[in-house]
Amino acid sequence: MDFDLSEEQRLLKDSVDGLLADSYDFEQRKKYAAEKDGWSRQVWGKLAEQGLLGLPFSENDGGFGAGAVETAIVMESLGRSLVLEPYLTTVVIGGGFLRHGASDEQKAAHIPSIIDGSKTLAFAQLEKNSRYNLADVSTTAKKKGDGWVIDGEKFVVLHGDSANTLIVTARTSGGQRDRDGIGVFLVPANAKGVTVKGYATQDSMRAADIRFEGVEVGKDALLGDPAKGLALVERVVDEARIAMCSEAIGAMEESLKMTVEYLKTRKQFGVAIGTFQSLQHRAAEMFVNLEQARSMALFAAMATELPDDERASAVAASKVQVGKSSKFVGQQAIQLHGGIGMTMEAAIGHYFKRLSVIENTFGDTDYHLRRVASAGSLV
């Protein structure tokens, strides 16, 4: 099997890398984080101009019909530059819900605005004590005429304080952890009864806690079946996990590069510390961990269109390896940088923070290891 990038994929990679080389360095990133939204509208506009916001959408919807591998290429580049903009939440997650669950009318109402950069989305799913259980939903959606009334609270909604539209999981029937009875709704962020409390996260991203109090939405807010939404959620979250694994590859790649450069320039006892054999061995182990994670991330991307059980198993295995590798590469990078690696002024610490957050988003390493063990095999 040929794992080399095609000509089109290489052009995509070069295009994204070139854009970010001009728009993103560590100092610029700090300025973007200080902006109102916690990210740059100007950079978001550049991503839109290059067509990156329309990448996974079908040509009929105004996009380019790209697949998981192309998304992975973009996410790797975003990871290398520690990009703050809401590509994951808007294009991968929000776009995933629209691509897989929306009607033609819903697609027409939302996708063009995503592609041109005027609309961002956020996924409001996590609830108090729900941990990584996607079926643990106590927020309710009750029928009212042709529409619905939503009540409940969601926590750590990534980029939830700047999103125009919220994708909300709510229980339409059944008990709090039942797999059936979960609906997925598109809720305007400025709807009456929506209260948003935004804050910065550990990795300099943004999130929000959101309360829904008697929020009324029309019938056009519902994505698909009001009682069978969990299958859609699981598919989209798996795609988000795949994308985040690719982002982690980019962050690990840059962490290794920065560490090797530091070993070449930092001197002790009159010589570069990179000449010390023990430190060379550590850098080599970092490389091995990176390549192991890269292989599993590619495996997961190729499994996107497999049946649900096989896809879930492949994604879980990828999340396990990427989580283990991220922890090792991040810790070694900090250790080899010494005290400077622990400061806010050094970029390497920010890479480790982002890797740590990725490892804990949509299930940490232990959670996915249990999923792999329960599945019994990867295929």
Side-chain angles (χ1 to χ4, degrees):
M1 186 176 292
D2 184 6
F3 291 101
D4 289 335
L5 298 180
S6 67
E7 180 64 24
E8 292 79 8
Q9 290 169 341
R10 283 195 293 271
L11 288 172
L12 173 63
K13 180 182 183 301
D14 292 342
S15 174
V16 183
D17 287 344
L19 169 62
L20 296 178
D22 293 336
S23 305
Y24 250 90
D25 61 28
F26 186 56
E27 294 304 316
Q28 288 173 310
R29 183 180 187 267
K30 288 193 286 188
K31 294 178 182 178
Y32 298 153
E35 293 189 17
K36 177 184 175 183
D37 295 322
W39 49 274
S40 170
R41 292 279 176 179
Q42 183 180 11
V43 172
W44 191 245
K46 291 180 180 179
L47 295 176
E49 288 173 8
Q50 287 208 358
L52 298 176
L53 305 187
L55 196 66
F57 298 109
S58 71
E59 293 182 11
N60 291 336
D61 294 322
F64 294 92
V69 174
E70 287 75 23
T71 300
I73 291 170
V74 174
M75 292 301 296
E76 275 194 36
S77 294
L78 300 184
R80 278 192 290 272
S81 295
L82 282 186
V83 168
L84 299 165
E85 284 63 41
Y87 194 89
L88 176 74
T89 56
T90 297
V91 179
V92 178
I93 299 178
F97 276 108
L98 293 171
R99 288 186 297 111
H100 301 309
S103 65
D104 290 340
E105 292 76 13
Q106 289 169 323
K107 290 178 181 179
H110 295 279
I111 291 178
S113 299
I114 293 174
I115 293 174
D116 68 21
S118 61
K119 175 176 287 189
T120 60
L121 290 84
F123 181 33
Q125 173 266 326
L126 187 67
E127 299 194 3
K128 190 175 294 184
N129 301 320
S130 66
R131 290 287 288 171
Y132 305 129
N133 185 358
L134 298 174
D136 190 335
V137 177
S138 60
T139 296
T140 61
K142 297 179 180 178
K143 208 78 171 69
K144 182 179 180 181
D146 289 336
W148 301 84
V149 179
I150 299 174
D151 289 279
E153 286 184 279
K154 300 290 186 176
F155 299 92
V156 198
V157 179
L158 302 178
H159 290 294
D161 57 346
S162 60
N164 306 108
T165 301
L166 304 171
I167 300 172
V168 184
T169 53
R171 186 159 293 284
T172 58
S173 62
Q176 182 174 334
R177 295 179 179 84
D178 289 350
R179 290 185 60 82
D180 289 335
I182 295 175
V184 181
F185 298 86
L186 295 165
V187 180
N190 61 356
K192 183 179 179 181
V194 177
T195 304
V196 179
K197 179 182 178 182
Y199 49 85
T201 54
Q202 185 68 22
D203 56 350
S204 300
M205 296 283 191
R206 297 288 301 179
D209 297 338
I210 303 178
R211 181 187 295 272
F212 302 88
E213 296 179 289
V215 179
E216 297 188 19
V217 294
K219 63 180 181 180
D220 59 341
L222 176 65
L223 289 174
D225 191 318
K228 302 292 183 182
L230 184 59
L232 172 62
V233 172
E234 289 176 334
R235 179 174 184 175
V236 174
V237 168
D238 271 349
E239 292 181 358
R241 289 164 174 153
I242 293 169
M244 295 186 79
C245 284
S246 297
E247 182 186 354
I249 299 302
M252 281 189 277
E253 193 173 64
E254 192 65 21
S255 296
L256 175 58
K257 177 183 174 181
M258 293 171 63
T259 302
V260 170
E261 287 300 314
Y262 186 77
L263 294 179
K264 290 178 180 179
T265 56
R266 174 74 167 90
K267 290 187 177 182
Q268 195 170 37
F269 307 116
V271 297
I273 61 175
T275 61
F276 302 153
Q277 193 175 57
S278 61
L279 302 191
Q280 293 173 3
H281 288 170
R282 288 205 201 182
E285 289 181 59
M286 291 171 68
F287 175 77
V288 170
N289 272 266
L290 166 61
E291 293 307 310
Q292 288 176 327
R294 192 192 305 276
S295 297
M296 290 304 296
L298 179 59
F299 171 60
M302 294 171 64
T304 305
E305 299 303 325
L306 291 177
D308 290 349
D309 290 346
E310 295 180 25
R311 181 200 68 234
S313 179
V315 171
S318 175
K319 200 74 161 61
V320 169
Q321 183 58 62
V322 171
K324 289 182 176 179
S325 293
S326 294
K327 186 174 183 179
F328 181 84
V329 171
Q331 288 180 338
Q332 293 302 313
I334 296 294
Q335 184 73 23
L336 292 174
H337 273 78
I340 189 65
M342 298 293 292
T343 66
M344 291 295 290
E345 289 75 18
I348 193 65
H350 294 263
Y351 279 91
F352 187 30
K353 288 179 180 181
R354 181 59 186 155
L355 287 170
S356 298
V357 170
I358 290 174
E359 194 266 334
N360 283 279
T361 302
F362 294 130
D364 62 14
T365 302
D366 290 341
Y367 170 80
H368 287 289
L369 189 58
R370 289 193 293 271
R371 292 181 71 203
V372 173
S374 297
S377 67
L378 299 185
V379 293

